[in-house]
Amino acid sequence: MAPSNNPKTPHIALLPSSGMGHLTPFLRLAATLLHNNCSITFITIQPTITSAESNTLSRFFTSLPQINPLKFQIHPFDPTTATSTDPFYLHYEAIRRSAHLLPPLLLSLPPLSALITDISLTSAFIPIIATLRIPTQILFTCSAAMLAFYLHFPTQFTKNGNEFPEFFDIPGLLPIPKSSIPPLLHDPTNLFTTQFVENGQALIKADGILINTFDYLELEVLDALNGGEVVPSLPPVLTIGPLKPCEFERGTPLSWLDEQPEGSVVYVSFGSKTALSGEQIKELGIGLEKSGFRFLWVLKSKMVDREEKTKDLEKMLSDGFFERNKENGLVVMDWVEQGEILGHKAVGGFVSHCGWNSITEAIWNGIPVLGWPQGGDQRINAGVLERNGMGIWVKEWGWRGEGGVVKGEEIGEKVRELMEDVGLKRGANKVKEGARMAVGEGGSSDKGLKGIVEMFLEDINGN
Ligand code: UDP
C-alpha cells in the first residue's frame, strides 16, 4: 500500500541490513510503529542472502498490507576487493557501497519523519541521509553492553592498533576480558574490523539510537550511555525492547512438542547463520543423548541456508542415533518459528549461541539459557544473561573453529545443570516479568517507543 500522505501521521522508513538477526527486529519494530499510528515504508535490500529472509519478508508484507514495501537494488560488487570471506559482512559492504543509490529512492516517497537504519550501515548512510535533511535513527539490534563496547572500541583501536589491554574497562559494565571481544577484531585489517570501527565512530552523528533491550536488564550501562560516560555527545539511547514476536511470525507449531511433558525439552539452536563443524555436531548429538533430557535441535551445517545441500542427518550423527532417540528427540534442518517454540510449555531450557534476538526471545518466555557463544557479540551477551541469573556459560568452550571440539560428556553435564537448576528458572521468570513490565502500558520501553512517536508528531506539527 502507498504510504499515507496525511500530514498529521509520521511517515517512517525502515532499512535493515542483511541476515535474519537484523531483519527480525526491524520487522517487529515496523509492526509496532504501525500499531502506534505511523505510516511505514519498509525498504528491502535486493538481493537477499538467505531464503529465510525472502520467505519472512513475503509473509510480513502479506500479513501487513498497510506497509509500503520498497525495493533497494544494490550494485553487485567484487568480493575479492574486500578482506573477508563471510557472506554476511560482504553483503553489508555491498550495501554500504551502494549508499549513493539511496537518495533518489527516499526522494520518491512522501516526506519522511525519519529513516531508521542499521548499525552495520551507519557510517556509510548517515552522511548521505543528512544531505536530504531526513533525521536518522539507528536501531541497535544487540545489547546495551555491546553498544557500549561498540562506542568504546574505536578509542582503543586508534590508540593501540590490535594491542589490546587484558580487560576493557567501560563505564556501566564489569571489565570485559580480551577473550570476550568479537574474535575478528583481533585482525585490524579484516573487513569486519574496519566496518566496526567506522560505524562505532559514526554513531554519535545519528539523531537517536533505539535499542532492543530494557532498563531492568541493563540499567547501569544504559545510565552510563545516556549520562555521557561511555562517549561524550552520544544522541539519546531509547530502550524499546524486548521487541516481541508478531502475528506474521506464527508458523505451523511442531506437533511433536505437544506430546512432551511440561518443561521437559531442551531446545537447541545456534541462530540463523552459525554452522558448527561436523565433529562438533556429532559431539553435540552425543551430549544431548547423555543429558537424558528430551531435545529439539535445529541443526545447521552451512551459514547460508540456500547452500544447505544435504539434509542427510544420519551421516552427521553417531551410528544408531535416531533409533536410540526416536522417542526423546527431534532434529530438524529447516526453519522453525523459534518464538513459538520458546513459548511452548514443553520447553524448559535453551542451548543457544547467544545471538541477541534469541536471548530476547528466551527472556520473553522466561526460559533459562546454556550459552555457547560462537562469535561476534555473543560472549558479551552471555555475560548479560549470567549477571541476571538466567543463564550459564562455560568460558573455556572456544569460539567457533577455535579451542578444539567440546566433548559430548561435558555438554551432557551442562545440559543437565541447565535443566535441573531451579535457581536459573526462578531467575528467568524474574527477568521475564521485568520484560513484560517494560513493554506494558507505562513501562520504560513503552515510554521509549511512545516518546519517539510523540517526537515525530511534534516535528511534523512544527513544535
Ligand atoms: N530463528 C528462527 N528459526 C530458526 C533459526 C533462527 O526463528 O530456525 C530466528 C530466531 O528466533 C532469532 C533469529 O532467527 O529471531 C536469529 O537471530 P539471533 O540474533 O539470535 O542470531 P543470529 O542468527 O543473528 O546469529
Side-chain angles (χ1 to χ4, degrees), residues 18-22 24-25 28 52 92 141-142 245 249 267 269-274 298 300 332-342 350 352-361 377-378 381:
S18 40
M20 285 304 289
H22 292 257
T24 300
R28 291 177 183 165
Y92 296 168
T141 52
C142 310
E249 296 176 66
Y267 169 62
S269 169
F270 292 80
S272 64
K273 58 177 190 178
T274 298
V298 184
K300 278 183 72 63
V332 286
M333 285 192 84
D334 292 314
W335 185 260
V336 296
E337 288 311 321
Q338 180 167 295
E340 295 209 334
I341 289 175
L342 288 170
F350 183 12
S352 169
H353 70 317
C354 294
W356 191 244
N357 295 292
S358 293
I359 290 198
T360 60
E361 291 155 10
D377 56 344
Q378 296 155 19
N381 298 342

Side-chain angles (χ1 to χ4, degrees), residues 11-15 39-43 106 109 112 114-117:
H11 173 209
I12 319 292
L14 291 96
L15 171 51
S39 162
I40 303 293
T41 292
F42 199 94
I43 306 174
L106 296 179
L109 294 168
L112 282 166
L115 176 82
I116 302 179
T117 191

Side-chain angles (χ1 to χ4, degrees), residues 176-441:
I176 298 177
K178 189 162 72 170
S179 57
S180 277
I181 71 169
L184 286 175
L185 292 182
H186 292 278
D187 174 2
T189 61
N190 190 282
L191 175 67
F192 175 81
T193 311
T194 320
Q195 291 177 353
F196 196 90
V197 171
E198 288 177 9
N199 289 327
Q201 287 166 333
L203 265 171
I204 56 167
K205 298 187 192 123
D207 292 284
I209 300 170
L210 307 175
I211 185 161
N212 187 15
T213 189
F214 53 105
D215 280 8
Y216 177 91
L217 191 69
E218 301 197 273
L219 186 61
E220 273 185 44
V221 66
L222 286 161
D223 281 349
L225 285 161
N226 279 322
E229 292 170 50
V230 178
V231 288
S233 314
L234 188 67
V237 179
L238 283 184
T239 54
I240 55 164
L243 289 162
K244 48 187 181 199
C246 298
E247 204 51 40
F248 69 86
E249 296 176 66
R250 284 197 184 282
T252 321
L254 285 168
S255 53
W256 179 83
L257 274 180
D258 298 338
E259 294 154 22
Q260 312 308 319
E262 192 167 335
S264 67
V265 174
V266 56
Y267 169 62
V268 184
S269 169
F270 292 80
S272 64
K273 58 177 190 178
T274 298
L276 300 180
S277 69
E279 266 179 303
Q280 191 60 79
I281 288 175
K282 202 162 263 182
E283 288 298 326
L284 177 50
I286 295 170
L288 292 174
E289 194 174 347
K290 284 197 182 285
S291 77
F293 281 88
R294 292 158 203 258
F295 57 86
L296 168 54
W297 178 10
V298 184
L299 192 158
K300 278 183 72 63
S301 69
K302 292 275 183 280
M303 275 178 95
V304 175
D305 55 8
R306 291 188 172 120
E307 289 165 12
E308 200 85 68
K309 295 218 167 41
T310 168
K311 295 196 176 174
D312 193 350
L313 287 164
E314 301 272 355
K315 285 202 185 124
M316 293 187 209
L317 297 162
S318 58
D319 288 346
F321 180 88
F322 283 101
E323 188 48 35
R324 288 192 304 277
N325 294 290
K326 61 177 189 267
E327 303 292 335
N328 280 346
L330 185 64
V331 186
V332 286
M333 285 192 84
D334 292 314
W335 185 260
V336 296
E337 288 311 321
Q338 180 167 295
E340 295 209 334
I341 289 175
L342 288 170
H344 197 288
K345 63 179 181 358
V347 174
F350 183 12
V351 177
S352 169
H353 70 317
C354 294
W356 191 244
N357 295 292
S358 293
I359 290 198
T360 60
E361 291 155 10
I363 287 174
W364 185 250
N365 292 295
I367 303 293
V369 176
L370 165 57
W372 189 350
Q374 301 287 323
D377 56 344
Q378 296 155 19
R379 286 193 179 184
I380 293 178
N381 298 342
V384 176
L385 280 185
E386 192 179 40
R387 280 195 295 285
N388 279 280
M390 66 167 285
I392 46 173
W393 63 295
V394 187
K395 277 89 183 165
E396 292 73 32
W397 292 0
W399 294 109
R400 176 168 31 112
E402 288 174 22
V405 174
V406 182
K407 290 290 179 197
E409 193 74 48
E410 218 183 317
I411 300 169
E413 264 174 40
K414 280 288 154 190
V415 170
R416 268 199 305 281
E417 187 181 330
L418 167 76
M419 297 298 281
E420 287 171 352
D421 186 333
V422 285
L424 279 178
K425 182 66 192 162
R426 217 177 298 122
N429 276 333
K430 243 175 114 185
V431 182
K432 170 182 163 180
E433 269 172 42
R436 300 214 173 205
M437 274 173 72
V439 297
E441 189 71 33

Side-chain angles (χ1 to χ4, degrees), residues 88-153:
F88 293 91
Y89 302 147
L90 288 170
H91 206 241
Y92 296 168
E93 189 60 15
I95 306 169
R96 291 163 60 83
R97 293 190 194 183
S98 296
H100 60 286
L101 304 175
L102 195 57
L105 208 60
L106 296 179
L107 290 171
S108 71
L109 294 168
L112 282 166
S113 293
L115 176 82
I116 302 179
T117 191
D118 196 288
I119 177 63
S120 54
L121 310 176
T122 303
S123 63
F125 279 24
I126 284 187
I128 298 230
I129 300 163
T131 62
L132 305 177
R133 298 183 179 282
I134 299 171
T136 311
Q137 297 278 337
I138 302 301
L139 171 58
F140 195 76
T141 52
C142 310
S143 57
M146 187 60 186
L147 173 59
F149 179 74
Y150 228 115
L151 291 158
H152 177 82
F153 183 76

